[in-house]
Amino acid sequence: MESRIFRAQRSLGYVCNDIPLQTRYIGKHRDTFIITVVGRRFYTYSATKLHLYSISEFHPSDIKCLSVDNKYVYTACREDVRIFRRGVEADFVHPIANVRLLMPFGSHVVAVAGNDLIVFELESGERHLEIPISEASFKISCITHPVSYMNKILLGSEQGPLHLWNINDGQKKYEFAGWRQSVTCLQQHTGISPLDIVAIGLINGDIMIHNIKTDQTLQRFHQDWGTVTGITFRTDMPDLMITASQLGHLAIWNLDTERLVTQKENVHALSITGLKCFPFQPIFATSSPDNSIRVWIMDDEVNGARLLMFKEGHQAPPTRIRFYGDEGNNILSAGNDSCLRSFSLEAELLSFSLGKASFNRKLAKKTGVSRDQSVMPPIVEFAAESVREGGWESEGVHGKEKANIVAIHSGVRQVSVWSYGRRTKCSFRLLHERFAKHTTVHPTVRAV
């Protein structure tokens, strides 16, 4: 009989990976939900406070792509395509392998497996259409459905051209020449009339607002940060477009004036892979492989958008973990990203970050943590004691500071000090004067 002692029970600290997030509004709950992928499962978050609403069952292998509509969540892994109604257990499983792009299409689903275009029935899985497309001339990179074009889908390619296909009769209706640059994303702006306008993101940073009915480019924008990784449109007034880059930057454009409203740099540590506006709200969400979701609200006329809330975990693998407290309900975790975090075993909402270790906290607060050039090396060992919480005081730049956690950093003799109760790193560091001149002496931590 297989032992259940070391069987995985739950995971902590995972928020998202490089698969783009998706959003869906559920009228029954009167709430927008954010769906992200973590390995072999997908997580559903309520956008109200970003609390974890549900976790799906395990897939046979890592999820490769994700899509949603108002009724279902669609996922694909190496072995099959799965369709979920409630986001926990799969309602339909279809053996279609190596799918890398998915798009719901009414009672059917459009999938790109390898470079084959497949259309199958949602519930039965019966294949309605299968078209092999040569990768040498047209490798599919993205897909969208122009809402006013019945039975039509628009395909972008790595070679640059775009194709308009009729999935009812399997015929290619039109070929767009493109701009000799790889197409990285497609997004239709449903708020514009007529409904023939599609935004096309290119690998060189260009964003084309194109009329696919007349095959004319109406507007052209350019972001200096390279590849366009995401495009979304504000669905209420005013007429704004948000674009994302692989450097973790955002740009907000006014389509009426054709000008840049604002740009926000380093909103994520890595490439922004997920970008979605909430329907009929001045709110949008971003996700990144840096293991974080950020929700933004566009109520700031000067800066364009401000951070409303976020959820994140370690950006790099943990280096040291240990239980905190006598009841064992919390885990302290130090990671290669120089952060110290607390994860709750009782409620995901009780997890929090104590911050990132820096040699100059004052400068880090002034310039922003993402731009901090004085980040301390990763924590390799630490000690904490809940009994001492609030009981140990030391003189810092802000007066008396209470601390109960000490941490050792890789290759650094100074010991950082943290406060669990205040959820922060203290301004002072420990280095006894006896060892200040002894460069070969390195600290060890035993207890607090």
Side-chain angles (χ1 to χ4, degrees):
M1 182 178 179
E2 183 184 356
S3 172
R4 300 181 63 180
I5 296 177
F6 299 107
R7 183 174 296 178
Q9 191 270 335
R10 61 176 298 191
S11 58
L12 297 173
Y14 288 122
V15 178
C16 62
N17 62 8
D18 61 323
I19 306 297
L21 64 79
Q22 299 291 333
T23 60
R24 59 193 298 229
Y25 179 78
I26 306 298
K28 178 182 177 181
H29 299 282
R30 296 183 180 180
D31 194 6
T32 299
F33 291 88
I34 299 173
I35 299 98
T36 65
V37 173
V38 175
R40 294 164 56 196
R41 312 172 87 172
F42 66 85
Y43 290 9
T44 303
Y45 297 92
S46 168
T48 304
K49 292 185 178 180
L50 281 184
H51 74 266
L52 185 61
Y53 183 78
S54 66
I55 302 177
S56 76
E57 64 183 2
F58 280 103
H59 289 58
S61 59
D62 287 349
I63 298 173
K64 299 299 183 183
C65 62
L66 172 74
S67 188
V68 300
D69 59 19
N70 291 333
K71 193 174 182 181
Y72 295 105
V73 177
Y74 306 80
T75 63
C77 57
R78 185 177 63 249
E79 294 83 359
D80 52 41
V81 173
R82 299 184 174 222
I83 303 173
F84 298 75
R85 180 178 283 109
R86 298 186 180 275
V88 179
E89 296 182 354
D91 294 276
F92 309 104
V93 179
H94 304 309
I96 304 175
N98 301 318
V99 173
R100 57 187 182 88
L101 292 173
L102 274 176
M103 186 183 69
F105 200 92
S107 61
H108 291 77
V109 181
V110 180
V112 177
N115 208 53
D116 295 344
L117 186 63
I118 301 174
V119 181
F120 62 93
E121 208 278 328
L122 188 152
E123 295 186 2
S124 67
E126 180 182 356
R127 300 196 183 191
H128 170 71
L129 183 70
E130 186 168 357
I131 305 173
I133 300 176
S134 172
E135 288 192 14
S137 59
F138 192 91
K139 184 174 182 180
I140 303 172
S141 59
C142 47
I143 182 172
T144 192
H145 165 54
V147 292
S148 61
Y149 286 60
M150 185 177 294
N151 299 325
K152 307 291 194 308
I153 59 173
L154 182 65
L155 304 177
S157 71
E158 292 186 1
Q159 287 81 0
L162 297 92
H163 290 174
L164 185 68
W165 285 80
N166 187 319
I167 61 172
N168 189 39
D169 57 17
Q171 298 296 314
K172 182 173 68 173
K173 296 301 181 182
Y174 192 80
E175 179 172 343
F176 301 88
W179 297 268
R180 298 182 180 179
Q181 298 287 335
S182 296
V183 179
T184 55
C185 52
L186 297 170
Q187 182 65 44
Q188 184 175 23
H189 187 1
T190 56
I192 293 180
S193 181
L195 299 178
D196 305 301
I197 312 302
V198 176
I200 303 169
L202 305 179
I203 197 171
N204 66 345
D206 285 343
I207 305 103
M208 304 295 182
I209 308 299
H210 198 75
N211 189 319
I212 60 175
K213 183 177 182 179
T214 61
D215 194 6
Q216 292 180 333
T217 300
L218 306 180
Q219 295 173 315
R220 178 172 181 165
F221 302 91
H222 179 77
Q223 60 181 28
D224 296 330
W225 314 308
T227 303
V228 181
T229 57
I231 301 174
T232 190
F233 292 93
R234 183 170 171 173
T235 53
D236 61 340
M237 299 300 290
D239 198 6
L240 299 179
M241 175 179 68
I242 304 103
T243 62
S245 79
Q246 61 182 354
L247 298 181
H249 307 331
L250 284 174
I252 301 178
W253 311 84
N254 190 311
L255 298 180
D256 293 331
T257 63
E258 300 187 9
R259 292 188 176 184
L260 177 68
V261 175
T262 186
Q263 59 184 23
K264 291 191 170 295
E265 299 183 2
N266 303 308
V267 299
H268 284 278
L270 300 175
S271 173
I272 300 175
T273 55
L275 176 63
K276 290 288 184 180
C277 263
F278 292 5
F280 306 108
Q281 297 183 60
I283 298 174
F284 65 93
T286 59
S287 68
S288 169
D290 66 2
N291 196 27
S292 70
I293 301 171
R294 300 184 184 275
V295 178
W296 307 79
I297 183 168
M298 290 177 281
D299 62 351
D300 190 335
E301 295 182 358
V302 177
N303 297 317
R306 62 180 175 88
L307 184 63
L308 183 63
M309 51 188 163
F310 66 92
K311 183 173 289 295
E312 61 184 3
H314 282 300
Q315 297 177 10
T319 57
R320 177 79 166 93
I321 62 172
R322 60 165 292 172
F323 282 98
Y324 178 82
D326 297 332
E327 297 180 358
N329 294 329
N330 297 285
I331 293 178
L332 277 175
S333 171
N336 271 322
D337 55 357
S338 301
C339 285
L340 187 64
R341 296 181 179 274
S342 174
F343 296 105
S344 172
L345 299 178
E346 291 184 321
E348 194 262 347
L349 282 173
L350 299 178
S351 301
F352 59 89
S353 171
L354 283 80
K356 180 176 287 189
S358 175
F359 286 109
N360 192 334
R361 290 180 66 241
K362 186 176 181 180
L363 181 62
K365 288 183 177 180
K366 184 177 180 180
T367 61
V369 176
S370 60
R371 300 180 180 180
D372 186 13
Q373 301 296 319
S374 56
V375 177
M376 297 182 72
I379 297 172
V380 294
E381 185 62 270
F382 65 87
E385 180 53 65
S386 59
V387 176
R388 300 293 298 273
E389 189 173 324
W392 171 28
E393 293 185 348
S394 184
E395 195 70 32
V397 295
H398 304 294
K400 295 288 185 179
E401 294 183 343
K402 298 180 179 181
N404 65 322
I405 303 172
V406 293
I408 296 174
H409 298 258
S410 176
V412 177
R413 291 185 298 147
Q414 294 179 339
V415 177
S416 62
V417 184
W418 308 71
S419 172
Y420 189 88
R422 293 176 55 236
R423 303 184 179 187
T424 186
K425 177 184 176 295
C426 297
S427 59
F428 61 91
R429 296 183 294 274
L430 304 179
L431 179 61
H432 199 279
E433 58 184 10
R434 292 182 299 168
F435 309 121
K437 297 181 180 180
H438 296 277
T439 58
T440 59
V441 177
H442 294 279
T444 58
V445 60
R446 291 291 180 263
V448 176

